[in-house]
Amino acid sequence: AQSVTQLGSHVSVSEGALVLLRCNYSSSVPPYLFWYVQYPNQGLQLLLKYTSAATLVKGINGFEAEFKKSETSFHLTKPSAHMSDAAEYFCAVSVGTSYDKVIFGPGTSLSVIP
Amino acid sequence: DARVTQTPRHKVTEMGQEVTMRCQPILGHNTVFWYRQTMMQGLELLAYFRNRAPLDDSGMPKDRFSAEMPDATLATLKIQPSEPRDSAVYFCASGLPQGLEQYFGPGTRLTVT
């Protein structure tokens, strides 16, 4: 069965520092992988997605993620944190023959310290 | 700017009352999802539809929850009777088949006292 784990329920970084949010997945078939972001009192929105093309995926707001099959990982990074990056981040894997259904990880709350 | 809309945004009700939440998916999207978000359980998929037909409602408590799509522009999630443990934020999302991206609404925050 497919699943997603996110190491660290809360991460704090200084403004301008590297952001690294960790995600590992478990899937018996080639997965599609996603990162979503949720700002306070809002719904989730897609940051980026991996669909078996390039292993390094670039998303919105300067974020990127690298798919590493050997490590079953899909970590999210951003070179320089901005105050506006403070939010909840969810890693997700799609399952099923149609790839409609998505399993979300528990989320990582990112705080940015001025 | 196409968006998923949800009503009401907030709902406070007493235990035992019926609650109906509504969602208008983005025009042209034929896949609709209902999620529940709580601090303890995180984001849980309750049910999803494709072309108005329910494909998976295994995440939904069948005895009190029901989800329907009366037409392509409206999805409903009903709880009857409601219980305090149903207090959560309920999100609707829509998408295209194999489009992979889900577009989330702003959510309905439900409090059952």
Side-chain angles (χ1 to χ4, degrees), chain A residues 32 34 36 38 41-46 49-51 88 90 94 97-102 104-106, chain B residues 9 31 33 35 37 43 45 48 50 55-56 58 91 96-106 109:
Chain A
Y32 288 179
F34 310 84
Y36 281 81
Q38 184 180 28
N41 299 313
Q42 294 185 26
L44 282 68
Q45 67 180 90
L46 184 70
K49 63 186 177 187
Y50 166 76
T51 58
E88 189 86 13
F90 294 90
S94 70
T97 54
S98 65
Y99 289 97
D100 282 339
K101 190 173 174 180
V102 172
F104 286 88
Chain B
R9 291 294 312 276
T31 310
F33 305 82
Y35 293 92
Q37 185 177 40
L43 200 61
L45 177 67
Y48 85 98
R50 189 186 304 143
L55 288 191
D56 186 346
S58 59
F91 288 103
L96 294 167
Q98 295 196 323
L100 304 179
E101 177 172 0
Q102 295 184 19
Y103 295 78
F104 280 73
R109 183 175 295 275

Side-chain angles (χ1 to χ4, degrees), chain A residues 49-108:
Chain A
K49 63 186 177 187
Y50 166 76
T51 58
S52 73
T55 56
L56 182 62
V57 181
K58 295 187 183 298
I60 61 172
N61 302 337
F63 284 93
E64 63 181 36
E66 186 172 8
F67 173 69
K68 292 187 177 180
K69 184 177 179 180
S70 60
E71 300 177 7
T72 62
S73 69
F74 191 57
H75 302 330
L76 182 70
T77 60
K78 182 174 180 178
S80 176
H82 192 271
M83 296 298 294
S84 61
D85 294 327
E88 189 86 13
Y89 291 81
F90 294 90
C91 184
V93 61
S94 70
V95 302
T97 54
S98 65
Y99 289 97
D100 282 339
K101 190 173 174 180
V102 172
I103 304 297
F104 286 88
T108 296

